[in-house]
Amino acid sequence: MTIIELIILAIGLSMDAFAISICKGLSLNQKKYSIKYSLLCGLWFGIFQALMPFIGFFLGASFNTYINIFDHWVAFLLLFFIGMKMIKDALSKEEERVDSSFSFYNMFILAIATSIDALAIGISLAILPEINIYIAISIIGVVTFLFSFFGVFVGHKFGLKYNSIAQILGGIILIVIGIKVLIEHLFF
């Protein structure tokens, strides 16, 4: 996987955190915007989005020898279903409610919730040849930090207008990467 592909993967993974950050920014309507809110979201989501694929990578590497016959299908299915879930959630009529709390507990729960899919991505990365996990998690963490940081500001200024668009885009990116992995392993 090239650096460009890792950046595209990171963008796809960061869309959940971006959407939540937009909601957090929107919830600041009673509070004055401060850069500390952007930093909090960026750090929480960036660290967890980097940590989860790291954990997933080592879980996947531990059973890689048992599944390398069909590993490309595993990677494809994980990416495909995560992408479809993101699109389904974005198109859902259910209104997502995020409160304005930036407490440790609240941010911890949100960081875990937005990074569970990154755990599965880490398993997929373990299956792919020649992946430097440290470069991958650094890119994922930095991209997520940036999207989350700016998401709070965007939410505070513009509201929920871009929330579902971001989730749909993230889902499509993950599905396309999954298809690319499958095609590369089947035909090249």
Side-chain angles (χ1 to χ4, degrees), residues 36-158:
K36 79 175 184 180
Y37 298 121
S38 288
L39 285 171
L40 277 170
C41 278
L43 287 171
W44 273 104
F45 296 142
I47 288 169
F48 272 79
Q49 285 286 61
L51 181 63
M52 292 300 222
F54 186 71
I55 293 168
F57 181 84
F58 288 104
L59 289 174
S62 66
F63 61 85
N64 190 12
T65 56
Y66 303 110
I67 63 169
N68 62 8
I69 295 171
F70 53 91
D71 58 359
H72 49 283
W73 286 101
V74 172
F76 165 72
L77 290 172
L78 285 171
L79 290 165
F80 180 81
F81 285 114
I82 292 167
M84 289 303 291
K85 182 186 177 312
M86 286 177 74
I87 293 169
K88 179 184 164 267
D89 290 348
L91 297 174
S92 170
K93 298 294 181 202
E94 255 181 61
E95 192 172 309
E96 201 172 313
R97 187 183 166 284
V98 178
D99 67 34
S100 62
S101 173
F102 283 83
S103 70
F104 178 88
Y105 176 76
N106 188 285
M107 294 306 295
F108 180 76
I109 297 300
L110 289 173
I112 288 181
T114 59
S115 62
I116 292 295
D117 54 350
L119 183 71
I121 296 301
I123 293 170
S124 297
L125 291 175
I127 293 168
L128 301 175
E130 299 179 26
I131 289 288
N132 182 326
I133 190 61
Y134 300 106
I135 291 173
I137 64 170
S138 296
I139 290 171
I140 291 168
V142 168
V143 168
T144 303
F145 171 85
L146 292 171
F147 270 87
S148 300
F149 181 90
F150 290 111
V152 175
F153 178 77
V154 168
H156 186 65
K157 291 292 179 196
F158 304 108

Side-chain angles (χ1 to χ4, degrees), residues 11-12 14-16 18-19 22 86 90 147 161-171:
I11 290 170
S14 70
M15 290 298 120
D16 277 352
F18 181 61
I22 289 172
M86 286 177 74
F147 270 87
K161 185 176 182 181
Y162 303 106
N163 186 355
S164 23
I165 293 169
Q167 283 189 308
I168 291 169
L169 178 63

Side-chain angles (χ1 to χ4, degrees), residues 24-33 37 102 152 156:
K24 282 295 196 182
L26 181 67
S27 73
L28 292 174
N29 61 1
Q30 302 299 334
K31 299 177 184 177
K32 183 176 165 99
Y33 172 79
Y37 298 121
F102 283 83
V152 175
H156 186 65

